[in-house]
Amino acid sequence: MIKIFCGNIVHAPKFGELEIIEHGYIALKDGVIAYIGQEMPTDWAVYEFNYFYDRLIMPSFCDMHLHAPQYPMLGMGMDLPLLDWLNTYTFKTEARFCDTEYAREVYAKLAQELIDNGTTRVVTFGSIHTDSTLILMEEFENAGITGYVGKVNMDRNGGTNLEETTEESIRETERWLERCADFKYIKPILTPRFTPSCTNELMSALGKLAKTHDLRVQSHLSENTSEIAWVGDLHPDCKQYWETYDKYGLWKSHTVMAHCVHSDKRERDAIKANDVVVAHCPASNVNLVSGVAPIRTMLDEGLWVTLGSDIAGGDVLSMLGVITEAIKSSKIKRIESNWTKDFLSVAEAFYLGTTAGAKYFGGGDGFAIGDKFHAVVIKDSDAIDVKQLSIRERFERAIYRTKEQDIIAVYSDGRRVK
Ligand code: GUN
Ligand code: FE
């Protein structure tokens, strides 16, 4: 089946560089991009035509770090730093997901809100509960979301209602992995919550599972100074936080590490050398008063930086919002650095929220030939001065100003999902 799309195409094939095709065309063959350019493709006799003439068409967004069971507390309880925030609000909220009916209700709503905001690829934390995590995967698939979901592992420091025994955590992870074969668009990812939540025995078992089942890994790294000090006490043999993951085979290519706010040069070198992915969560880092991550420095050093909402530490679910939060955080870093570090341009931050994340899922540069179509169509025609503005200006405003209802169509893996 051939589908042709017409509209104002904006994408970021390279970091910091936009390609803008005014009144351009994209052709899909069975959901895969077969053509992108200024001319109407004429190779195909039979096709479906999608005329989005004056709308903006851009890649949909990748949320590389979010906590699905924290959705009910979104926008609340952000008056405490990380460790107190976890113990006071977060673990209690997540503990409710032992109830699968509650999980179904919450996760269906979350999935819909993600799609409505144009997030089609995710790397997500579930909770420790296997059955609720399977429900999360089902609801994501039903809504049209693709990517990775993890059953969380926690066998210490979770309090009374959010802790597994080591044996239970391993057994439940194996049971969960067996069930994951049922999914087409959502894949499993191993998810030791963070070093303080997992005993060495559990970390070691997860490292073995990562190897035998060839699984990716996600966790948290160097988010908050008290957390880092605690990890140091728990692992006196490790010089740095990242080594507590490395010790057990969890620090490897495509491991996603959220935050990395306080990662120094040595830790950043280890991130780069091992092809670990940084999920920068700017809204969360400010809300939990964690710090401002050195994103420009990381980019200059060649690290793989992506963006995450980190709901509910982050209060912004829309990745458009996270993109602008990343720009603002980078400006704070500029002030802090006495104007020695450049802030992120809109084009750069847009790249981080689209192309940099898409690579994690096997995607190419922007709307690349051969990729499954992941896209949003944005209606900004009611905005002021639309007729006088360039597409670049309209794009910039759309990044800052688009609301859920302005995203009039969403495509995920070649299918229309909104
Ligand atoms: N570190 C361990 N767990 C969490 C969490 O749920 N959110 C954030 N932001 N950091 C964490
Ligand atoms: Fe997080």
Side-chain angles (χ1 to χ4, degrees), residues 67 70 82 85-86 90 193-194 220 223 259 284 288 310:
H67 296 263
Q70 294 174 23
L82 176 67
W85 174 81
L86 288 173
T90 316
R193 183 179 201 114
F194 68 156
H220 294 90
E223 176 177 6
H259 308 300
S284 169
L288 302 183
D310 192 30

Side-chain angles (χ1 to χ4, degrees), residues 48-112:
E48 175 195 299
F49 196 74
N50 295 271
Y51 194 61
F52 290 120
Y53 189 71
D54 197 39
R55 314 288 198 220
L56 303 171
I57 302 178
M58 53 180 96
S60 57
F61 307 102
C62 303
D63 190 342
M64 301 298 288
H65 182 73
L66 70 154
H67 296 263
Q70 294 174 23
Y71 185 54
M73 58 185 272
L74 189 58
M76 294 187 286
M78 286 177 294
D79 51 354
L80 291 171
L82 176 67
L83 300 176
D84 299 328
W85 174 81
L86 288 173
N87 289 319
T88 308
Y89 305 115
T90 316
F91 291 165
K92 290 189 180 80
T93 306
E94 291 193 17
R96 296 181 65 189
F97 286 78
C98 61
D99 176 351
T100 50
E101 260 179 59
Y102 182 63
R104 177 78 65 194
E105 180 195 335
V106 172
Y107 289 157
K109 287 203 174 99
L110 169 64
Q112 195 54 53

Side-chain angles (χ1 to χ4, degrees), residues 51 96 111 137 186 190 212 237 298-299 303 361 365 378 412:
Y51 194 61
R96 296 181 65 189
M137 296 168 87
I186 301 290
L190 288 180
T212 53
D237 55 317
M298 289 178 179
L299 291 165
L303 273 63
F361 309 95
D365 299 328
I378 293 175
S412 175

